[in-house]
Amino acid sequence: MRSSAFPDYHAIVPDTNVFLHQMDALEHSALHDIVILQTVLSELKHRSPVIYSRARSLVSDASRRCIVFNNENHRETYVLQNPEETPNDRNDRAIRTATRWLDTHWAPLGMHAVMLTQDRQNLQMALNEETAPCHARHFVDYAQALAEEFPDLADRLASLPAGSGAGVSVDPLLTADLTPEERFDFPAYLDEETVTLGVKSGRFLRGNVRISDLNVEEALVWTRAHDLPVVVPGLRALNRAIEGDTVALELLPESEWVLPTSEAKLDSAEATDGQTSRVSAASYLLETDADLTAAPLATAETRPHPTGRVVAIIQRNRRPYCGGIPEGQLMLPALDEHGTRVVLFQPLDRRIPRIRIRTRLPPADLLAKRIVVAIDDWDAGARHPRGHYIRTIGAAGTKDTESEVILLENGVPFGEFSAAAHACLPDGNWSADAAIAAQGGLGRRVDLRDVLVCSVDPPGTTDIDDALHARVLPSGNVEVGVHIADVTHFVKPNTPLDAEAAARSTSVYLVDRRISMLPNLLGTNLCSLLPDVDRFTFSCLWELDPVTLRVVSTRFVKSVVRSRRAFSYEEAQLRLDDPAAYGWHEDDPVTGANGRGDPLVGSLVWLNRIAQRLREQRRQAGALMLSSPEVRFELGDDKNPLYAKVKNTIPANSLVEEFMLFANVSVARFIVDAFPQTSVLRRHPAPTALRFDELQQFLRARGHSLDVSSNRALADSLDRCSDPEDPFFNSLCRMLVTRCLMQAVYFASGTQPRAEFAHYGLARDIYTHFTSPIRRYSDILVHRLLAAAIDFEPTSQLLIHRDNITRLCNVINIRHRSAKKASMSSTELFTGLLFSRFDLAQEETAYVVRVMSNGLVVHVPAFGLEGFIPITSANFRYNRKLSQIEHLDGRKFLGVFDRARVSLMAHRPDSRVDVANSLLKISLLAPSLDGTPCDPVPAPTLESLAVPRIPQRAAELAASRAKRTQPEDAPGQAAREETSSGQIKKARQSV
């Protein structure tokens, strides 16, 4: 390449610090012809695996012309460490030596090698070495010269403090002329040695910072030393720590311990009394984060919490942040002839402080745009950290831009699969018959193509992991089979495809798209158990006593099957509701005696009969039947939302679920016997009674209580939490119980005692995931373990090292949580798009789920959303003991479990960046804030909550699309279609 910084043809040789501190700039397309030295790669792998991975990605990008030079293995460039040298000095000398050799080697071609460094001292040594100076430039100087042609490259340059080891001075534009509002007096951090000794001695506590988006000026830090989290109150006590940082805490004297604040602190632009744009998807999941500060339902706890202050940051959890620059910031005057401005970037994650960045980009290129920014450092005298611009995503508020933001904010890998990964794939014309012929027969694979197998999935599913069958054997027993796609036939260990699948760990499902763990050739084609094609599978086969369901025998076999039908849940349910209408007859529907007719329908009937009994067995064992709202959208041809409705669970859903659980438990027992140290299992720890304290208080006020002595006791007491006047009350209780539970996690069996294997929510003493290898990497690992356990395949070396399994499980756990959060955020986004597209203003019933001193958090069942509604009027007061908002005379206004009437409407932030990160606004209608008398808010019926929210203009198209997706005709189908049409008409009238 050529540049104004070095006009001759040349390749650049960045040193380690350039990669560590300026990776965002290095990834700019203006920089190419890059040589990465083996010395540098080795340092990166040791010091920053993330940067190492990004450096390897540069090598994979052919457009960057980036190569790796193995200078440590080349006789002319290898250097020994001198006695007086530190390892860092030796590596710097090795980089200079390699650059000098490359320059000499390329000289006959008229090309040079130019070392780029961040270290002024290293630069001077390169230029002044007596033996042979090498071409070298300071990276910042080199990049700024290029910035005349690529202005955004200058924006990507990180600014680091002197003494950081990179030899870079703080950009004066980012520190000059701070206003009084921008200054802050943070305490200095303690040195590393003092902190290390203090943590070991117990003087300091170590933990991860967790900040609620309702109050970004307070954190909770869970530590092993206390049963309650340590409160870190205020910005000074937080001392520049941000969400996710690992910190060292110094506890304050007990006389200074405080309660977590009951006040929500909002941006004035986000809320006014009674309404707010702070709306988000409800995080009601069975597997909730144990550390999430959103978990408490209210602030009823009256015992002071341990309270402390941050004295050092042990490990920073920094990542690129998505957000925007408010319009007022872009109107600030330029500070130099390049049009440089210093502005405050507003992250969309409310828990992250605003970031002070420098930009040369014109205001028009940043107005109402989503951009990505990274934090460089946070000075003790500044209220905001310093950072740098990385790139622009797109226009704020648009579907594609906001969907990419969701993926980035949750750390979801969504790039294309590499050429190396694609090279691992078979030909697109692969067939089971050809594969069998190529290996000279089935071998140990069992031919089950004569068995009537079918799948049951949501409509439109293309990545079909599993299929089922049930048939009566001549002995009178029933054979049940769960057949799972044999993904490991195609995804082999130690291949680029396996490495990329492990890095992704899970498929991620947004409303309008799927980010697949595997290339589509596998996920939606060769591995997918599509009907009427032969597919390789891993099968669990049980012989069951039809009366007691006692397992007579269990077999695990690699097999080949041919699915006869891919049913949707609704199609399967029609056959279960009226088997005779679809050609299946039995003399005794209870026992299934003398069954005859369509054997595929008969298989479904038998599967459902057994599934109902398996479910009852689990319930008797103490399994928790919890509730979580799941909103489904009907999308138009342009992938924009037409309407939304809460998913209605039908028995066919449970049919599939029960057999997947049954298979997972069976496989878990088998593999742990074969691999007691390295089996991949999934456990769900039992929660402590303390986690239920607040919920217990609110339930007692309603005449209910929970018995949390065991999962069975909790399940039984949940069944008793009902309100004859409010059918949704029990569902709400089950939702809130999920917030009191711990998080289920994957782990290597040898890292926990056997008593800790149990899954609390499912009431099973052992559990794993085996049934979804197309979309979960944990299941791929389990398939490999099971194949080795039945001697179908040799044991991979990766499966016998516990540390390796633990490392993989840690990545899978992180990706699993990120995928769930991304899915919830996508639901929130599309709800906002629906309201914005049709300019909706919808009145809905809401339930109070949390009370704060200045407002309420309400749950809206019809959309599965939550919103904070500020209440700051002088006509009300907060009763912390009862956790309710009261009138001044003591009458209750609203408390937990109370119903309210709210309005949801589109939130339009004009042309400015929507710092609230929501396209919805929620307002309180009843009870009235102005004291106007109104009738009590009636309880919604479960039927009304299931009615689709269809905008008038979308109703006709929705009805047309629904008709096209109706199951095929069968006796009685016309009546069902008439009923469906009537429901759509009612839904249209309701809107």
Side-chain angles (χ1 to χ4, degrees):
M1 65 178 291
R2 280 179 167 177
S3 73
S4 56
F6 198 95
D8 295 334
Y9 282 112
H10 65 280
I12 57 176
V13 187
D15 71 5
T16 305
N17 278 326
V18 170
F19 279 96
L20 289 174
H21 301 298
Q22 300 288 2
M23 192 67 203
D24 292 324
L26 268 179
E27 290 174 329
H28 194 286
S29 58
L31 297 172
H32 49 82
D33 297 318
I34 305 170
V35 177
I36 305 180
L37 300 179
Q38 182 184 0
T39 302
V40 172
L41 271 183
S42 298
E43 278 199 273
L44 292 178
K45 190 172 186 179
H46 173 69
R47 296 176 62 180
S48 177
V50 173
I51 298 296
Y52 172 79
S53 177
R54 292 168 68 180
R56 298 296 310 188
S57 295
L58 281 179
V59 178
S60 302
D61 185 351
S63 68
R64 307 301 297 277
R65 300 198 295 271
C66 180
I67 64 169
V68 175
F69 175 42
N70 292 322
N71 63 303
E72 298 288 356
N73 297 324
H74 188 63
R75 181 170 49 194
E76 302 291 336
T77 56
Y78 176 75
V79 299
L80 289 171
Q81 182 175 343
N82 295 326
E84 70 279 3
E85 279 185 320
T86 66
N88 184 65
D89 290 340
R90 179 267 172 197
N91 288 343
D92 285 345
R93 186 163 58 88
I95 294 169
R96 297 194 300 270
T97 300
T99 304
R100 191 164 47 247
W101 183 87
L102 288 170
D103 188 67
T104 303
H105 183 66
W106 288 334
L109 303 175
M111 184 172 171
H112 296 283
V114 179
M115 184 186 81
L116 298 182
T117 181
Q118 290 269 103
D119 191 326
R120 297 285 181 187
Q121 182 179 359
N122 190 29
L123 176 63
Q124 291 304 314
M125 293 182 70
L127 297 174
N128 299 328
E129 280 183 309
E130 295 181 2
T131 54
C134 69
H135 296 292
R137 294 290 186 274
H138 192 283
F139 180 79
V140 172
D141 298 337
Y142 184 89
Q144 285 179 338
L146 282 176
E148 298 298 325
E149 183 179 353
F150 304 95
D152 59 330
L153 176 58
D155 288 5
R156 291 193 183 199
L157 291 173
S159 172
L160 301 171
S164 66
V168 188
S169 299
V170 176
D171 187 335
L173 291 179
L174 289 176
T175 56
D177 300 326
L178 290 176
T179 65
E181 293 77 16
E182 293 170 332
R183 296 186 182 278
F184 202 92
D185 184 22
F186 287 109
Y189 292 137
L190 299 181
D191 63 84
E192 183 178 350
E193 182 179 1
T194 301
V195 170
T196 302
L197 293 175
V199 170
K200 286 183 178 180
S201 67
R203 176 188 170 193
F204 302 136
L205 301 178
R206 176 187 173 120
N208 294 331
V209 171
R210 292 289 179 258
I211 299 175
S212 168
D213 65 357
L214 288 176
N215 185 356
V216 298
E217 295 184 5
E218 179 181 88
L220 298 182
V221 180
W222 293 86
T223 68
R224 296 180 178 180
H226 299 274
D227 60 347
L228 292 173
V230 177
V231 177
V232 185
L235 294 180
R236 184 174 173 80
L238 271 169
N239 198 9
R240 295 166 284 164
I242 67 173
E243 166 66 24
D245 282 352
T246 302
V247 298
L249 291 172
E250 181 179 49
L251 282 185
L252 301 179
E254 285 195 41
S255 60
E256 298 180 35
W257 288 9
V258 299
L259 287 166
T261 183
S262 60
E263 180 184 7
K265 294 190 177 181
L266 302 181
D267 232 325
S268 59
E270 291 186 82
T272 58
D273 208 32
Q275 67 177 28
T276 184
S277 59
R278 191 175 287 265
V279 181
S280 59
S283 55
Y284 294 135
L285 300 171
L286 171 61
E287 299 164 352
T288 52
D289 273 329
D291 293 345
L292 283 183
T293 56
L297 307 175
T299 51
E301 174 66 55
T302 57
R303 178 161 51 117
H305 284 46
T307 305
R309 64 184 186 92
V310 174
V311 296
I313 297 179
I314 297 173
Q315 183 174 351
R316 301 183 188 277
N317 183 35
R318 307 296 160 85
R319 59 176 176 83
Y321 300 104
C322 301
I325 301 173
E327 184 178 23
Q329 291 286 314
L330 294 173
M331 297 301 104
L332 296 173
L335 299 178
D336 61 20
E337 69 277 10
H338 301 294
T340 305
R341 289 174 173 81
V342 174
V343 296
L344 284 177
F345 163 83
Q346 176 68 63
L348 292 175
D349 187 338
R350 304 181 188 99
R351 301 168 299 175
I352 306 302
R354 285 177 290 176
I355 304 168
R356 192 172 168 87
I357 67 169
R358 173 202 60 232
T359 178
R360 291 186 182 182
L361 294 173
D365 290 355
L366 296 172
L367 184 63
K369 295 293 197 297
R370 297 294 196 212
I371 67 174
V372 184
V373 163
I375 292 176
D376 295 330
D377 196 42
W378 195 340
D379 302 317
R383 178 177 288 272
H384 304 111
R386 290 181 284 106
H388 64 273
Y389 164 92
I390 298 177
R391 68 182 180 94
T392 298
I393 302 172
T398 60
K399 173 171 65 68
D400 289 340
T401 294
E402 300 297 347
S403 293
E404 184 174 343
V405 165
I406 287 170
L407 296 173
L408 290 170
E409 282 291 283
N410 289 284
V412 175
F414 62 95
E416 296 294 328
F417 287 90
S418 68
H422 279 289
C424 301
L425 298 175
D427 184 88
N429 296 319
W430 180 93
S431 69
D433 280 340
I436 292 169
Q439 64 187 21
L442 287 167
R444 296 191 58 197
R445 194 175 291 273
V446 177
D447 192 342
L448 297 177
R449 284 174 287 191
D450 62 325
V451 178
L452 295 181
V453 170
C454 66
S455 60
V456 184
D457 291 285
T461 299
T462 56
D463 52 343
I464 303 174
D465 289 285
D466 55 85
L468 303 161
H469 88 267
R471 60 182 179 179
V472 179
L473 300 175
S475 65
N477 289 337
V478 178
E479 180 187 80
V480 173
V482 169
H483 311 277
I484 307 301
D486 188 5
V487 173
T488 55
H489 176 79
F490 302 97
V491 182
K492 299 299 184 183
N494 299 314
T495 62
L497 178 59
D498 183 54
E500 292 194 34
R504 295 178 181 232
S505 290
T506 180
S507 294
V508 181
Y509 294 86
L510 305 187
V511 171
D512 66 331
R513 67 196 71 184
R514 178 184 66 247
I515 312 300
S516 299
M517 184 185 76
L518 297 173
N520 284 337
L521 178 63
L522 295 183
T524 62
N525 188 353
L526 303 185
C527 290
S528 184
L529 305 187
L530 303 170
D532 300 320
V533 291
D534 296 345
R535 288 289 182 254
F536 283 176
T537 52
F538 213 148
S539 298
C540 302
L541 303 172
W542 302 275
E543 183 178 345
L544 304 176
D545 184 293
V547 178
T548 65
L549 294 190
R550 179 180 62 86
V551 177
V552 177
S553 66
T554 303
R555 286 194 299 154
F556 303 103
V557 296
K558 290 260 188 162
S559 57
V560 56
V561 303
R562 176 179 296 174
S563 175
R564 299 306 197 271
R565 180 71 185 268
F567 291 111
S568 69
Y569 286 123
E570 291 75 13
E571 290 172 336
Q573 191 60 49
L574 289 173
R575 287 156 177 78
L576 297 177
D577 290 341
D578 192 358
Y582 291 90
W584 179 255
H585 305 274
E586 294 175 337
D587 291 347
D588 186 346
V590 176
T591 64
N594 196 25
R596 58 200 180 277
D598 186 338
L600 197 58
V601 178
S603 178
L604 280 175
V605 171
W606 263 109
L607 288 167
N608 188 54
R609 183 179 291 125
I610 296 170
Q612 289 176 342
R613 293 166 67 181
L614 289 174
R615 184 175 179 84
E616 179 59 23
Q617 285 182 359
R618 282 201 308 115
R619 195 190 69 80
Q620 291 294 330
L624 299 178
M625 306 301 175
L626 298 174
S627 178
S628 60
E630 186 175 347
V631 177
R632 292 292 177 89
F633 292 87
E634 176 76 9
L635 302 180
D637 295 333
D638 59 356
K639 298 295 185 180
N640 279 307
L642 296 174
Y643 69 84
K645 67 175 181 178
V646 175
K647 175 185 173 183
N648 182 29
T649 301
I650 56 180
N653 296 88
S654 297
L655 181 156
V656 177
E657 176 187 4
E658 291 304 325
F659 284 107
M660 298 304 105
L661 297 176
F662 197 46
N664 288 335
V665 172
S666 295
V667 170
R669 296 191 193 286
F670 194 82
I671 62 173
V672 83
D673 286 342
F675 298 97
Q677 291 293 312
T678 58
S679 288
V680 176
L681 302 179
R682 187 162 178 81
R683 68 190 187 97
H684 185 207
T688 63
L690 179 66
R691 298 180 68 88
F692 293 90
D693 280 356
E694 291 174 341
L695 180 56
Q696 290 279 37
Q697 177 179 334
F698 308 139
L699 284 171
R700 290 188 187 107
R702 304 274 302 209
H704 300 285
S705 65
L706 297 175
D707 183 347
V708 297
S709 58
S710 68
N711 49 5
R712 172 63 187 274
L714 176 59
D716 290 344
S717 57
L718 266 175
D719 290 340
R720 295 190 293 270
C721 289
S722 62
D723 183 347
E725 303 298 323
D726 189 344
F728 186 71
F729 177 74
N730 183 260
S731 295
L732 183 62
C733 291
R734 294 178 187 274
M735 291 177 190
L736 297 183
V737 161
T738 64
R739 298 190 170 188
C740 304
L741 300 180
M742 303 292 284
Q743 180 185 357
V745 292
Y746 298 99
F747 70 103
S749 53
T751 62
Q752 296 289 334
R754 187 65 183 247
E756 298 298 322
F757 286 11
H759 196 293
Y760 180 85
L762 298 175
R764 288 292 178 258
D765 62 343
I766 192 170
Y767 193 66
T768 193
H769 275 159
F770 162 79
T771 54
S772 295
I774 291 178
R775 60 184 179 88
R776 289 191 305 235
Y777 191 74
S778 57
D779 303 50
I780 287 180
L781 294 176
V782 171
H783 275 230
R784 290 172 181 163
L785 289 162
L786 183 59
I790 64 173
D791 295 326
F792 188 90
E793 293 175 354
T795 304
S796 166
Q797 289 298 307
L798 296 176
L799 298 179
I800 60 176
H801 294 291
R802 192 175 72 183
D803 290 346
N804 179 64
I805 296 296
T806 297
R807 178 183 59 81
L808 289 170
C809 286
N810 290 339
V811 173
I812 294 170
N813 287 327
I814 292 170
R815 297 293 192 211
H816 182 81
R817 290 193 294 271
S818 296
K820 287 193 171 184
K821 292 175 182 177
S823 294
M824 289 191 298
S825 296
S826 183
T827 296
E828 174 196 345
L829 168 63
F830 272 74
T831 305
L833 291 173
L834 175 68
F835 276 73
S836 298
R837 183 182 186 191
F838 297 106
D839 200 21
L840 290 182
Q842 186 98 353
E843 291 188 17
E844 295 288 351
T845 299
Y847 288 80
V848 177
V849 294
R850 187 176 183 186
V851 178
M852 306 190 75
S853 62
N854 58 343
L856 308 162
V857 177
V858 297
H859 170 68
V860 185
F863 290 97
L865 295 174
E866 287 185 1
F868 177 78
I869 300 178
I871 299 179
T872 58
S873 169
N875 297 324
F876 299 95
R877 68 187 185 192
Y878 170 59
N879 185 324
R880 183 171 195 135
K881 183 176 180 181
L882 298 179
S883 191
Q884 63 187 30
I885 301 292
E886 299 176 339
H887 296 276
L888 295 181
D889 60 7
R891 290 179 297 116
K892 183 171 77 167
F893 178 66
L894 283 172
V896 175
F897 290 123
D898 287 343
R899 293 187 296 272
R901 195 69 178 166
V902 299
S903 170
L904 291 170
M905 62 186 301
H907 175 225
R908 300 186 181 279
D910 302 321
S911 63
R912 295 167 296 179
V913 168
D914 177 15
V915 295
N917 188 23
S918 177
L919 299 177
L920 283 177
K921 181 179 291 185
I922 186 168
S923 304
L924 181 65
L925 300 178
S928 173
L929 285 172
D930 61 11
T932 303
C934 59
D935 295 330
V937 177
T941 64
L942 297 181
E943 291 76 13
S944 69
L945 294 178
V947 172
R949 271 51 180 176
I950 308 179
Q952 183 73 22
R953 284 178 287 164
E956 183 176 346
L957 180 56
S960 173
R961 291 172 65 87
K963 187 174 181 179
R964 292 202 304 268
T965 58
Q966 286 289 330
E968 78 287 350
D969 288 342
Q973 184 67 18
R976 283 187 285 272
E977 289 181 354
E978 183 178 351
T979 301
S980 175
S981 177
Q983 289 174 345
I984 292 176
K985 289 178 182 177
K986 289 179 182 177
R988 182 186 302 176
Q989 292 166 359
S990 72
V991 176

